[in-house]
Amino acid sequence: MTTASDASTASEVTEKITERAKEVGVRVRMHAAEIDGTRRIGVDEHAPVVTASVFKVPIALELAKQGAEGGLDLGERITVPPGHPTPSPYGLATFRHEITMSWYDLAILMIGISDNVATDLILDRVGKDATEKTLRDLGFEHTTVTHDCGEVLGSIGEDLGISYEDDERLLTELPIERITALRALRPEHGCATTAEEITRLLGLIWRDEAAAPAACADVRRWMDLQVWPHRLRSGFPDDGIRVSGKTGTLPSVRNEVGVVEYPDGGRYAVGIFTDAVDGRSRVPERDAFIGFAAAQAVEWLRLPEADGE
């Protein structure tokens, strides 16, 4: 793999990232920043983007915040019967029998495997309004949590006249123009952020500035437990590098945000958002691109001569 150390300027690194994006058939918006410094690098980092399941990070923060402030008990037991209306390809939606678990454990499912049912249960408990208020209080103008998973996926079915759950495979056969016209894929109509804002949020969480230290520690642990290795983590194969992340996926959309931590103490927040030229769901080179872009950006940030923007 070509590394950022082969380039001397931020513009050369971002050009390399955008050229690779074209090769794999995606448009990229990205941002990477030192958590404990001022260096940063980005590509269209202030452009509004669809979060997909990345919106589960602010939901997790709100849950942890309310738990730390005493608004709810993260250890409270919740019984979830089978048959919840929110579709999800894994997790609680696939269970045959009812299960009882805590809010804390539901958050592990929400972040660790992106469980949509767990997400909607949590968001219903903490509230959209409270989640939005926390984001505004932290200074975020473009990061929004206006819909839950069931509403996002339901809007796709409404727009296409099909069941997203039963006929997701049909999306790969649709013209890209029909896919990009979906409300769920337009930032102005749903859950959105910018690459710069989401990395700023991650920095606040990792520095214990987004909420009480105990709440921030909970979010960091949940993100550390994410199981998916095919996107952000693929760019950092060294076992000594810790990658904590949250993916986001919708038709034509592949995202991941997270924090990369090196053994020498270097910590870097990364947000990579991509939308594709077609609706194919199994394109591994597009998943790997996220790791490539993150590695290029972080390696540049780690160069002694990097001149942060």
Side-chain angles (χ1 to χ4, degrees):
M1 176 187 291
T2 303
T3 68
S5 60
D6 299 317
S8 58
T9 68
S11 61
E12 289 175 314
V13 175
T14 57
E15 182 179 356
K16 187 180 298 184
I17 290 170
T18 53
E19 283 301 313
R20 177 64 68 87
K22 293 177 183 176
E23 291 172 5
V24 301
V26 300
R27 177 177 60 168
V28 61
R29 281 79 176 273
M30 61 149 288
H31 193 246
E34 292 180 318
I35 286 180
D36 304 299
T38 59
R39 293 174 179 169
R40 62 200 73 245
I41 186 171
V43 175
D44 291 336
E45 64 269 31
H46 299 295
V49 292
V50 169
T51 57
S53 285
V54 167
F55 84 118
K56 295 170 185 177
V57 174
I59 295 173
L61 175 61
E62 184 60 30
L63 177 69
K65 176 176 177 287
Q66 292 188 20
E69 293 174 349
L72 60 80
D73 178 4
L74 293 180
E76 180 187 352
R77 311 290 284 182
I78 309 302
T79 297
V80 184
H84 192 280
T86 297
S88 187
Y90 21 67
L92 295 172
T94 69
F95 287 13
R96 179 175 295 177
H97 308 291
E98 73 175 27
I99 186 169
T100 300
M101 58 199 316
S102 68
W103 291 114
Y104 186 97
D105 294 337
L106 282 170
I108 292 176
L109 293 180
M110 174 176 71
I111 300 297
I113 62 171
S114 206
D115 187 319
N116 291 340
V117 173
T119 302
D120 286 1
L121 291 169
I122 290 172
L123 185 55
D124 183 63
R125 177 63 178 84
V126 301
K128 294 174 187 173
D129 290 345
T131 305
E132 290 276 301
K133 183 178 185 305
T134 292
L135 290 168
R136 303 299 156 258
D137 289 346
L138 291 173
F140 297 107
E141 300 178 9
H142 304 289
T143 305
T144 61
V145 179
T146 55
H147 297 73
D148 64 20
C149 296
E151 291 168 333
V152 171
L153 299 179
S155 76
I156 294 176
E158 292 171 3
D159 290 348
L160 295 178
I162 64 174
S163 166
Y164 179 82
E165 180 182 12
D166 296 334
D167 299 311
E168 183 178 1
R169 66 189 182 279
L170 297 179
L171 296 173
T172 65
E173 303 170 4
L174 293 175
I176 189 62
E177 294 79 11
R178 284 203 66 191
I179 295 176
T180 56
L182 296 171
R183 285 172 291 165
L185 300 188
R186 299 172 66 181
E188 65 272 23
H189 288 300
C191 301
T193 189
T194 70
E196 186 278 331
E197 282 200 354
I198 202 68
T199 55
R200 187 150 39 99
L201 176 60
L202 292 173
L204 293 174
I205 293 169
W206 254 254
R207 292 192 303 269
D208 287 341
E209 296 171 1
C216 292
D218 282 341
V219 179
R220 292 194 297 268
R221 180 169 188 265
W222 294 331
M223 292 184 67
D224 185 47
L225 292 173
Q226 183 184 236
V227 301
W228 313 124
H230 58 311
R231 293 184 183 170
L232 187 59
R233 192 181 299 273
S234 70
F236 304 91
D238 188 326
D239 287 343
I241 301 174
R242 169 177 285 181
V243 178
S244 306
K246 181 69 204 78
T247 58
T249 308
L250 281 172
S252 81
V253 168
R254 286 172 170 81
N255 305 328
E256 186 161 5
V257 307
V259 171
V260 181
E261 301 177 81
Y262 282 72
D264 63 7
R267 305 190 298 175
Y268 309 90
V270 181
I272 313 285
F273 297 83
T274 73
D275 51 88
V277 298
D278 57 59
R280 290 183 293 158
S281 61
R282 297 183 181 180
V283 192
E285 59 266 31
R286 293 176 182 168
D287 293 313
F289 166 76
I290 291 175
F292 169 85
Q296 292 288 312
V298 169
E299 287 181 34
W300 183 83
L301 290 173
R302 289 177 60 78
L303 291 176
E305 66 270 25
D307 52 341
E309 296 175 1

